[in-house]
């Protein structure tokens, strides 16, 4: 699989890849048909009991001990409401896609880093004639193909990211409501109605406590002026707000119970202990998290939906170490 060349418009306004563009090689042709445990385990390591140290002190002991080394996790937010949903609940309807891709680097000895990877990046998948969006890889090959594509795109070492979490929309709602709501200060009102998806946003500006469905509306909203870039900025605000709230005594006290309740609703190769361990690091570093972004090339056509990484961008695109 490879990032596609600069997107050009086909008849009807749909972008296509420029023939002859430079391809990044990746041996993921078989992963497009992933579905067996054998292929899955070639991408993801088994849960590692040695990942968690029993002698580290100084972090929240209501949770598990922090990891003994940096861990990179890919969070895949899907446009389906549940893991077992037959359709994505979006427009056009169909199998679930990834509409949020977050690479999270939890380092007990350094700052936590979060990269919101644009799902609209154009990639060429082996065996597929048409250029696909990065977010479509989940539909084509699940978390294995998605992880391989993201890792190759940003320049991670082979086998990275080693952990993943697939998070359908109901999980965010349940997490926020389980914490009693999320306090956010919106800089402006957000109002939007999409009849095709039966999707409505009606949020006031200012400091307020949002319920789960309202937070879901906020992170899904794509404004006319700021598009997907604005959506990623709002997602960052929600992440920061969640980490801050989880770090409060009342939030931390509820966290272990929340993880147990939500774990059956997510797809992950993290054990419960590993999840609590990584959350321990995230909470302690909530105010020093580094939020990174990829440099994107400007659009070249009106209505262009697929994007490219900016020419000449420094490699690797995300030096997470």
């Amino acid at each position: 699989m490879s990032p596609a060349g600069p997107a050009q418009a086909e008849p009807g306004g749909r972008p296509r890849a420029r023939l002859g563009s430079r391809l990044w090689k990746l041996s993921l042709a078989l992963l497009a048909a992933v579905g067996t445990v054998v292929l899955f385990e070639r991408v993801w390591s088994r849960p590692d009991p040695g990942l968690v140290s029993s002698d580290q002190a100084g972090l929240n002991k209501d949770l598990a001990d922090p990891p003994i080394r940096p861990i990179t996790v890919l969070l895949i937010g899907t446009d389906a409401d549940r893991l077992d949903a037959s359709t994505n609940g979006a427009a056009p309807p169909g199998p679930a896609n990834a509409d949020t891709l977050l690479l999270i680097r939890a380092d007990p000895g350094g700052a936590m880093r979060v990269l919101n990877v644009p799902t609209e990046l154009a990639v060429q998948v082996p065996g597929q004639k048409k250029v696909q969006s990065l977010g479509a890889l989940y539909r084509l090959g699940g978390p294995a193909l998605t992880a391989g594509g993201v890792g190759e795109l940003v320049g991670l070492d082979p086998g990275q990211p080693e952990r993943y979490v697939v998070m359908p929309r109901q999980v965010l709602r349940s997490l926020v409501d389980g914490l009693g709501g999320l306090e956010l200060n919106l800089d402006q009102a957000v109002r939007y109605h999409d009849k095709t998806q039966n999707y409505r946003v009606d949020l006031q500006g200012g400091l307020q406590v949002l319920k789960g469905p309202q937070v879901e509306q906020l992170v899904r909203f794509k404004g006319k002026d700021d598009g997907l870039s604005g959506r990623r900025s709002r997602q960052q605000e929600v992440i920061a707000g969640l980490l801050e709230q989880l770090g409060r005594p009342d939030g931390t006290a509820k966290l272990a119970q929340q993880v147990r309740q939500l774990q059956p609703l997510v797809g992950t190769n993290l054990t419960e202990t590993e999840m609590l361990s990584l959350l321990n690091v995230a909470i302690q570093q909530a105010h020093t998290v580094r939020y990174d972004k990829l440099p994107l090339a400007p659009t070249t056509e009106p209505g262009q939906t697929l994007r490219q990484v900016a020419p000449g961008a420094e490699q690797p695109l995300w030096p997470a170490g």
Side-chain angles (χ1 to χ4, degrees):
M1 183 173 52
S2 62
Q8 297 177 328
E10 291 181 340
R14 293 189 300 180
R16 61 179 175 82
R18 178 178 298 169
L19 297 178
S21 62
R22 182 177 64 87
L23 302 181
W24 289 357
K25 297 180 180 179
L26 181 64
S27 300
L28 286 176
L30 291 177
L31 289 180
V34 67
T36 66
V37 174
V38 173
L39 286 176
F40 189 73
E41 290 181 349
R42 289 178 186 173
V43 177
W44 301 110
S45 59
R46 290 180 178 275
D48 181 4
L51 186 69
V52 178
S53 168
S54 60
D55 59 359
Q56 293 201 34
L59 296 185
N60 198 311
K61 290 304 178 181
D62 290 333
L63 305 176
D65 288 323
I68 59 176
R69 57 180 172 83
I71 304 297
T72 302
V73 181
L74 176 64
L75 190 149
I76 304 170
T78 74
D79 54 8
D81 197 59
R82 306 180 313 277
L83 283 176
D84 59 354
S86 58
T87 59
N88 56 19
N97 299 282
D99 62 3
T100 301
L101 293 169
L102 297 175
L103 271 175
I104 303 168
R105 178 79 165 179
D107 185 351
M112 180 176 170
R113 297 181 66 169
V114 177
L115 174 66
N116 199 328
V117 185
T119 57
E120 70 271 27
L121 282 170
V123 293
Q124 183 72 58
V125 181
Q128 297 284 330
K129 294 182 179 180
K130 293 183 177 181
V131 175
Q132 306 285 339
S133 70
L134 190 61
L137 296 188
Y138 183 77
R139 168 171 48 84
L140 296 172
L145 184 61
T146 307
V150 171
E152 175 69 10
L153 177 73
V154 305
L156 296 183
D157 292 334
Q160 296 287 338
E162 60 187 309
R163 295 291 191 267
Y164 75 94
V165 178
V166 179
M167 184 172 162
R169 291 189 285 113
Q170 73 168 155
V171 175
L172 178 61
R173 297 195 306 268
S174 298
L175 172 61
V176 171
D177 286 340
L179 294 172
L182 177 62
E183 185 178 270
L184 287 179
N185 190 0
L186 302 183
D187 57 3
Q188 61 182 357
V190 181
R191 294 186 176 87
Y192 177 73
H193 185 204
D194 186 342
K195 294 182 179 179
T196 61
Q197 300 186 60
N198 192 26
Y199 167 62
R200 182 187 297 272
V201 183
D202 188 5
L203 301 175
Q204 303 294 325
L207 183 64
Q208 59 201 289
V209 176
L210 301 181
K211 297 181 179 179
Q214 294 173 306
V215 175
E216 180 192 351
Q217 292 171 1
L218 185 64
V219 299
R220 290 184 65 196
F221 175 64
K222 183 174 67 174
K224 182 178 179 180
D225 296 327
D226 57 11
L228 290 170
S229 176
R231 176 193 281 182
R232 285 189 283 272
S233 295
R234 287 182 286 275
Q235 291 170 349
Q236 180 175 316
E237 290 181 39
V238 168
I239 294 169
L242 281 171
L243 290 178
E244 194 279 330
Q245 191 157 322
L246 288 171
R248 300 173 185 173
D250 57 339
T252 304
K254 298 175 183 177
L255 188 53
Q257 180 182 0
Q258 283 287 298
V259 168
R260 295 187 189 98
Q261 291 177 345
L262 295 177
Q263 195 165 22
L265 306 180
V266 303
T268 184
N269 62 349
L270 283 164
T271 66
E272 180 181 313
T273 300
E274 289 174 345
M275 198 174 296
L276 290 171
S277 169
L278 297 178
L279 285 169
N280 200 344
V281 176
I283 289 171
Q284 294 297 321
Q285 300 181 4
H287 298 291
T288 59
V289 175
R290 175 174 170 177
Y291 295 96
D292 301 316
K293 62 181 180 179
L294 297 183
L296 298 182
T299 56
T300 57
E301 299 287 342
Q304 179 179 322
T305 56
L306 296 182
R307 301 292 300 275
Q308 307 288 333
V309 174
E314 185 178 352
Q315 303 294 330
L317 293 174
W318 195 54

